[in-house]
Amino acid sequence: MGPMRLPSDPPLDPVVPGPVPPVIDLAHWRQQALAFEQTVAQAVIGQAQALRLLVLAVFCRGHVLLEGDVGVGKTTLLRAVARALGGPFERIEGTIDLMPNDILYSAFVAEDGRPRIQPGPILRRGGDLAVFFFNEINRARPQVHALLLRIMAERSVSAFQQDYGFPDLLVFADRNRVEREETFELPAAARDRFFMEIGIEAPADPHLRRQLAFSPRFHDADRLIAGLPDAVIDFRRLNAVAAAIQDHVQAGEEVEAYTFALWEALKFPHRHGISLPGVAMDRLVIGGASPRGVSALVRAARAAAWLDGRDYVVPEDLRLVFVPVMAHRLFLAPAYEARREQIMPALCRAVFDAVPTPR
Amino acid sequence: MTPAAPVLSLLALLLLSPPRSATAAEQAILAPAHSHGWWIGDVIPVRATVLLEQGFRIDPASLPQPGALDYWLDLRGVTVVDEKGRDGRRLHRIEFTYQTFYAPLEPRAMTIPPRTLAFVRDGQRLSVTVPAWSFVTSPLREIMASSRPEAMKPDAVAAVINVRPQEWRAALSAGLALVALLLLARHRAWGPFARPDRPFAAAAAAIRRLNRRGAGAEAQRAAFLALHRAFDRASGHRLVAADVAGFLAVRPQYRPLSAEIAGFFTASRSLFFGRAPEQALARSSTAALAGLARRLARAERGRP
């Protein structure tokens, strides 16, 4: 067997520093963001809250994990967001036999009978890749999670003895919470890398549910997505916009104190007089709520304030993003992990009820 | 038959020999009035009074220990009382309580033995002897008669003890306890004394106090915080600006003040979170907050 040949074309771009960005008009970008939100809302109805959070994640350049029941529209939502965002989009399905190499390259025998290696989904589009969508992430093995961890944390990957950077990449992943067999729970480090974990429920409004079931518009997801306007915002400038938002929006002393108090109360609920029925509060939280998580909380709150048309953060912003940003970063004692879905919202509610603001 | 017991005069005056001193003691023995007619089980009080100069007191070691004195005689107790006597002297009253268990087959004289007591004063010691006392004890029933069931006496009727004073005391104590409980319940706001939680009234009072102390920026901030905590308590959770509409929906009594409440939250937002807290401070005043708190407190009591 002859030596493996690396593909010479198309050439893959290593990380290239971009030109100095022009001054960013945040008011204009806010209009763009709202237009982006409205575009996605055409395809996904009854998910206003999840959509708002996704927009915030996009404008914070944060990776998002979607969790929910089967068939509630997680994939459709992510595909709609990817379309409205424009830019190259790749997806991969998590399976139990998926290996990291399957993401990096594909090996096959070409027509001439010789082995060929071609870039896999993550490398195929080069450094422009805007959205990488990992479907059913909890079906993939820890090896794959480890590779994903690197892609998410550093937005780069090593392959073919070279580093590839994806400066504009956002990783969207989803997992369904119904099945536990043949799945691999995401390691703590990988979960912490996700900016938000957004829970998706079927819309509560019976009218919307009926519409989802009976309107032919929602029967064919491909046609639904294809009907959306493409590339509503310029994904290449989002990094600069995100940085400008963080510079522009003020989180004052009061918000700082409030955030810190929330953090403390979440980490040590028993010290703040929080009690939940049937839970030993002093043994509930065993880890998590990392400084990275809290910094993500503040970033998300700043973006929320900006999207709301303010240049300062208020407690409502923190409350809006607290559960999606913090809940999945908190690790509970094994005895309570199985009841996570009941305990976490109750705990977060109790934390907000325990900490006064302003103070 | 035993010879008749020597009759002790009711007031026998004896002069006892004082040792090496001229201190005289007057002693009177007040034995029971009769020296006959005693039965088995009878309690016999023998009283002695001793008149002594000031300063003498009985030597407790000379008092007999209660207990069995003989196979037929018990001493059940001794009490000593001293009181003021005539001519500036002290009168010591000593009472011996004896009980006889002698079961005579015929009337028989028995003698309670003499008993010497000692009185002391500043190293002085004076002995006083209570003389022996005889009495005639008799059998309870005919010795020769055979026992018959009819001879059994009916049980003594139980003595009725008057417990009325205790009943009064118990009733009085129960009344006092009830009053104390009511006072405690009122103090702790238990049961019927529970006062409705009036956070806005409390906030209004707190702001009034702040207003009296001065109207600086600190006082104004404190007034804002007092109202915020009142809103928290009134709504049952931490109320922020976004929750005001929901709060007014479930607490219609505050609806007439909705514009003012919204204004308060807007002002608070710029004061605590905004970019220009000084302007927010300048736009509001502690007095205005006090007015809002007062109106909220009135609404809280359901008054217009």
Side-chain angles (χ1 to χ4, degrees), chain B:
Chain B
M1 285 286 277
T2 51
V7 176
L8 278 176
S9 74
L10 216 68
L11 252 167
L13 265 164
L14 291 174
L15 269 177
L16 292 154
S17 56
R20 311 178 302 281
S21 107
T23 309
E26 275 183 30
Q27 189 192 26
I29 303 297
L30 295 97
H34 56 104
S35 59
H36 55 272
W38 297 97
W39 290 315
I40 181 168
D42 280 352
V43 173
I44 308 167
V46 176
R47 298 190 189 88
T49 58
V50 181
L51 194 61
L52 282 172
E53 281 173 19
Q54 200 79 29
F56 276 105
R57 52 190 179 75
I58 194 155
D59 178 6
S62 68
L63 286 174
Q65 285 293 315
L69 299 179
D70 207 338
Y71 71 96
W72 61 273
L73 186 65
D74 275 11
L75 176 62
R76 291 183 44 168
V78 183
T79 56
V80 180
V81 181
D82 78 309
E83 58 191 43
K84 205 170 156 193
R86 59 193 154 77
D87 305 336
R89 290 187 287 185
R90 301 293 295 176
L91 189 65
H92 301 267
R93 291 181 189 280
I94 303 131
E95 178 168 330
F96 301 92
T97 308
Y98 294 101
Q99 188 172 18
T100 172
F101 291 105
Y102 191 77
L105 296 178
E106 56 185 2
R108 183 185 163 91
M110 305 299 292
T111 303
I112 291 174
R115 172 82 44 201
T116 300
L117 302 175
F119 292 85
V120 287
R121 181 180 75 177
D122 306 333
Q124 259 184 304
R125 194 176 175 83
L126 189 65
S127 295
V128 176
T129 302
V130 177
W133 183 71
S134 288
F135 62 95
V136 176
T137 177
S138 313
L140 281 174
R141 63 179 184 93
E142 269 184 295
I143 296 301
M144 301 308 289
S146 55
S147 301
R148 285 172 295 120
E150 299 84 64
M152 289 290 285
K153 294 281 178 67
D155 286 341
V157 179
V160 178
I161 302 166
N162 184 12
V163 291
R164 190 42 61 101
Q166 281 87 340
E167 279 172 1
W168 276 113
R169 275 202 293 278
L172 191 68
S173 304
L176 280 175
L178 193 68
V179 169
L181 184 72
L182 285 174
L183 287 174
L184 180 69
R186 187 173 167 277
H187 180 67
R188 306 295 303 265
W190 288 339
F193 297 101
R195 292 178 283 277
D197 192 18
R198 290 196 177 135
F200 288 117
I207 296 174
R208 228 181 3 256
R209 278 197 297 278
L210 287 167
N211 216 355
R212 269 207 297 276
R213 278 214 297 272
E218 267 316 297
Q220 213 173 324
R221 278 179 74 93
F224 266 103
L225 291 183
L227 261 179
H228 269 297
R229 292 299 86 84
F231 272 112
D232 288 352
R233 264 169 60 202
S235 67
H237 58 95
R238 304 290 172 190
L239 196 79
V240 291
D243 307 330
V244 171
F247 172 67
L248 291 178
V250 293
R251 301 275 197 293
Q253 66 266 41
Y254 301 112
R255 261 182 229 159
L257 297 165
S258 60
E260 276 185 273
I261 294 173
F264 165 77
F265 274 96
T266 312
S268 155
R269 189 180 255 196
S270 3
L271 171 62
F272 289 102
F273 305 107
R275 289 210 182 246
E278 303 79 22
Q279 287 175 20
L281 273 182
R283 273 201 299 275
S284 75
S285 70
T286 319
L289 291 173
L292 173 60
R294 223 168 27 243
R295 285 188 288 285
L296 284 166
R298 287 180 68 79
E300 182 174 53
R301 289 198 300 274
R303 296 182 193 169

Side-chain angles (χ1 to χ4, degrees), chain A residues 108-233:
Chain A
F108 61 100
V109 178
E111 284 164 11
D112 55 5
R114 306 176 72 172
R116 284 281 167 79
I117 287 188
Q118 277 199 343
I122 192 90
L123 299 179
R124 202 177 289 148
R125 304 299 191 100
D128 258 359
L129 187 63
V131 173
F132 186 68
F133 175 27
F134 205 126
N135 209 352
E136 302 236 38
I137 189 172
N138 56 338
R139 292 202 169 279
R141 294 175 157 276
Q143 297 95 310
V144 180
H145 294 158
L147 177 73
L148 200 68
L149 186 69
R150 158 116 197 243
I151 295 173
M152 286 197 293
E154 299 173 15
R155 289 200 164 84
S156 73
V157 73
S158 299
F160 307 121
Q161 294 168 349
Q162 210 182 338
D163 277 354
Y164 296 92
F166 314 97
D168 302 313
L169 177 68
L170 282 183
V171 175
F172 292 153
D174 80 356
R175 60 170 179 175
N176 79 57
R177 61 161 179 245
V178 180
E179 286 157 311
R180 297 249 183 248
E181 284 109 42
E182 294 203 334
T183 62
F184 298 89
E185 198 46 61
L186 283 176
R191 256 159 85 176
D192 203 46
R193 287 301 192 308
F194 279 107
F195 185 71
M196 285 184 185
E197 181 183 276
I198 303 173
I200 306 282
E201 301 284 342
D205 182 356
H207 174 70
L208 288 182
R209 281 224 299 270
R210 231 178 292 170
Q211 208 180 325
L212 281 175
F214 288 96
S215 166
R217 219 182 128 231
F218 297 107
H219 289 176
D220 184 350
D222 290 334
R223 230 178 58 214
L224 182 66
I225 300 295
L228 293 180
D230 191 8
V232 181
I233 51 179

